[in-house]
Amino acid sequence: MEGQKEFGRAVLKIALPVTLQSLLQSSFSVIDQVMIGQLGSSSIAGIGLGGKFASLYSVILAAIAAAAGIMISQYMGAQDEEAVSRSFFINSGLSIGLAILFLLPCMAFPEAVIGLYTKDAVTRKLASEYLRIFSLSFLPMALSSMVTTMFRCMEAAKMPLYASILALFMNTGLNYLLIFGKGIFPAMGVKGAALATAAAQLISCIVLLLFFLGFIRKQETKRIKGWQEKGNRLMRKAISKGGYRRQYLGIIGPMLICEFMWSLGENVYAAVYGNMGTDACAAMTMTVPVQTLVIGALSGLSQAAGILTGKLLGGNQYEKAYVDSRKLMKYGFIGSLILSLLLLLISPFYVRIYNVELSVQLMTRDLLIVFAVVSPVKVQNMILGGGIIRSGGKTKYIMWVDIIGTWLFGVPLALLSAFVWKLPIAYVYFILSMEECVRLGISFVIFRKKAWMKQVF
């Protein structure tokens, strides 16, 4: 009984702050789109497509952070202090490099990038304006992502939560001032939304770094105390170690491929919606805030699953890792069913927030019903594939699961249902979402075989 309570406390200590932070971050898109929603369908579609290319960056960045989390949590479980530091600094450098790589095309030729998604001139112009400004947030996001990962592995997830609360208030206030032009500020529309988000991300990053520096100075362990001074030395030392390099590439390589291919598939879906018309694209974009809120509400369980399972594997507690993983999957399933029922109840009221045509509102409501049906499967994939199986470092398993689900099922079904069968967007979304069922079936087989239960060192 005491062990059960201890497990529950450990889950809440990580999951609750992560969930609240995810909800706050998701609210960025909610606030942006609800305010932009007052400007019409073209602006909604523009901000949706502008953010879709940026999602490629976000997903790959998340893969780097996830790889860092796998290694850091296992090294903490094994009490390997130097390896913890090494993983943190190497992944931080890689994240910054990725940010620069994505920032350049977004600043130099955003219209060419957005041209891949839609042929509508008005939507393309709005989306490219949004993307150019929004890309300024890439570097702060890179730093924040790695510091947040470190905090969560140290079971101090409340620190990133505080930074996110500040960012939320900043984003809300700046949105109001810059989108509609209040006080001395000009009315900037979608550009104002992008600028507000970029500014909020920058301030959040600065606050998070200050929290981190203050936190590590207070620690009494050697693992934390010496990170600042020996960061560069550890970076050089780590690169010179062939064994560590092979180990690291074996984990992060499949994750980068996996997340890139998955996100590329999501971008194909966005192009499908964009070519089905501005109304269809706007309707799908209007569902994004709700989707991110629902998934974000249970993302803490995925993070807790990865960290807690990784520490148990690092400490050779394999059977406990398997049993606790099953509990986390059960919690996620129950939570997703509750949220789906709530979504079905509020969907008719949510669509009325937007100043769009009745036909767009009806399309959005249908899409939300489809999402409510498939979201329990999505949540199980997030916890099982994104947290539990990856915690053992066998990231190639999930790479193949996602590639098979997206490219052998999702993308072909999307193209067929939209352009061959010419179905309405709600049917297109439901049919392509069957990829989630394929993923879950394969992942569950892998989970039951326990081949993923390994140490990374």
Side-chain angles (χ1 to χ4, degrees):
M1 190 67 178
E2 185 60 32
Q4 182 75 11
K5 290 182 179 178
E6 184 179 345
F7 173 72
R9 286 194 293 267
V11 171
L12 285 176
K13 190 174 182 180
I14 298 173
L16 186 58
V18 171
T19 295
L20 291 175
Q21 185 185 3
S22 296
L23 290 174
L24 288 170
Q25 290 174 339
S26 299
S27 69
F28 279 10
S29 62
V30 175
I31 293 165
D32 283 354
Q33 293 191 35
V34 168
M35 291 188 180
I36 286 294
Q38 310 311 309
L39 305 180
S41 298
S42 293
S43 293
I44 296 173
I47 199 173
L49 293 178
K52 188 54 75 171
F53 180 75
S55 71
L56 269 173
Y57 165 73
S58 299
V59 166
I60 298 174
L61 178 63
I64 296 173
I70 290 170
M71 302 189 78
I72 291 170
S73 62
Q74 285 221 13
Y75 287 138
M76 283 185 173
Q79 300 182 349
D80 189 337
E81 299 164 355
E82 185 172 309
V84 169
S85 301
R86 186 189 310 140
S87 298
F88 174 76
F89 284 107
I90 288 179
N91 284 285
S92 295
L94 186 58
S95 298
I96 292 170
L98 177 72
I100 295 172
L101 182 65
F102 271 82
L103 176 64
L104 294 177
C106 292
M107 294 296 293
F109 39 85
E111 288 198 18
V113 173
I114 297 299
L116 300 172
Y117 297 90
T118 180
K119 297 178 181 178
D120 185 276
V122 175
T123 303
R124 186 168 64 245
K125 182 175 185 298
L126 291 170
S128 61
E129 290 174 347
Y130 180 85
L131 179 62
R132 176 182 280 123
I133 298 173
F134 183 84
S135 64
L136 296 174
S137 67
F138 289 173
L139 277 169
M141 286 171 63
L143 292 171
S144 297
S145 178
M146 284 310 306
V147 173
T148 296
T149 297
M150 198 69 210
F151 269 130
R152 290 173 180 173
C153 289
M154 293 186 294
E155 299 186 20
K158 63 182 180 181
M159 298 296 186
L161 172 61
Y162 298 152
S164 292
I165 291 172
L166 174 63
L168 171 64
F169 283 109
M170 279 202 60
N171 189 61
T172 303
L174 289 174
N175 264 325
Y176 178 73
L177 295 173
L178 297 175
I179 292 175
F180 303 112
K182 302 295 181 179
I184 62 173
F185 297 93
M188 300 175 65
V190 296
K191 292 190 288 186
L195 184 58
T197 301
Q201 289 284 359
L202 176 60
I203 298 300
S204 175
C205 176
I206 292 172
V207 171
L208 197 57
L209 287 172
L210 292 175
F211 280 163
F212 187 61
L213 292 174
F215 185 82
I216 62 178
R217 287 195 183 106
K218 293 179 181 178
Q219 305 308 301
E220 296 178 356
T221 63
K222 178 182 176 183
R223 180 190 71 219
I224 306 295
K225 192 176 181 181
W227 279 350
Q228 284 180 283
E229 293 78 10
K230 63 182 181 180
N232 292 331
R233 178 174 60 82
L234 284 173
M235 176 89 70
R236 292 191 296 268
K237 186 177 180 181
I239 293 173
S240 68
K241 287 188 176 182
Y244 179 86
R245 185 166 59 246
R246 286 191 298 271
Q247 177 192 82
Y248 178 71
L249 292 175
I251 292 175
I252 198 171
M255 291 187 70
L256 289 175
I257 295 171
C258 168
E259 297 299 342
F260 177 78
M261 295 300 292
W262 175 83
S263 186
L264 190 60
E266 291 293 309
N267 277 259
V268 171
Y269 300 153
V272 169
Y273 306 142
N275 283 281
M276 291 180 71
T278 299
D279 286 353
C281 185
M284 179 55 70
T285 302
M286 286 163 60
T287 70
V288 171
V290 177
Q291 292 192 39
T292 53
L293 282 171
V294 171
I295 298 300
L298 295 168
S299 62
L301 285 175
S302 177
Q303 292 285 331
I307 292 170
L308 296 177
T309 306
K311 287 184 176 180
L312 290 171
L313 295 177
N316 289 314
Q317 300 182 63
Y318 295 114
E319 189 57 35
K320 181 172 173 53
Y322 185 77
V323 172
D324 287 355
S325 296
R326 291 178 65 92
K327 292 177 185 176
L328 288 163
M329 291 166 60
K330 180 181 177 181
Y331 297 160
F333 181 69
I334 295 172
S336 62
L337 287 180
I338 294 171
L339 290 175
S340 289
L341 291 174
L342 289 174
L343 177 56
L344 291 173
L345 292 174
I346 68 169
S347 59
F349 306 100
Y350 169 76
V351 298
R352 297 174 191 170
I353 297 174
Y354 294 88
N355 182 28
V356 296
E357 298 82 357
L358 178 61
S359 60
V360 178
Q361 291 183 359
L362 293 175
M363 275 191 281
T364 305
R365 188 191 63 186
D366 292 342
L367 286 166
L368 289 174
I369 292 172
V370 173
F371 175 71
V373 172
V374 301
S375 64
V377 182
K378 286 178 175 286
V379 169
Q380 285 300 300
N381 279 326
M382 176 179 67
I383 295 172
L384 181 55
I388 295 169
I389 294 177
R390 278 180 172 173
S391 66
K394 295 296 183 180
T395 54
K396 64 181 180 181
Y397 292 161
I398 300 304
M399 177 189 74
W400 287 114
V401 169
D402 280 356
I403 289 175
I404 290 170
T406 299
W407 292 97
L408 294 187
F409 289 88
V411 170
L413 288 173
L415 296 173
L416 283 171
S417 57
F419 303 124
V420 178
W421 303 330
K422 300 187 182 300
L423 297 175
I425 188 169
Y427 288 94
V428 172
Y429 180 54
F430 178 74
I431 290 171
L432 70 85
S433 293
M434 291 301 99
E435 65 164 324
E436 297 286 350
C437 298
V438 174
R439 280 199 187 101
L440 183 59
I442 300 173
S443 296
F444 193 69
V445 171
I446 294 171
F447 175 75
R448 292 290 299 272
K449 288 183 177 295
K450 301 183 180 180
W452 55 275
M453 298 175 68
K454 304 288 183 183
Q455 291 180 321
V456 299
F457 45 86

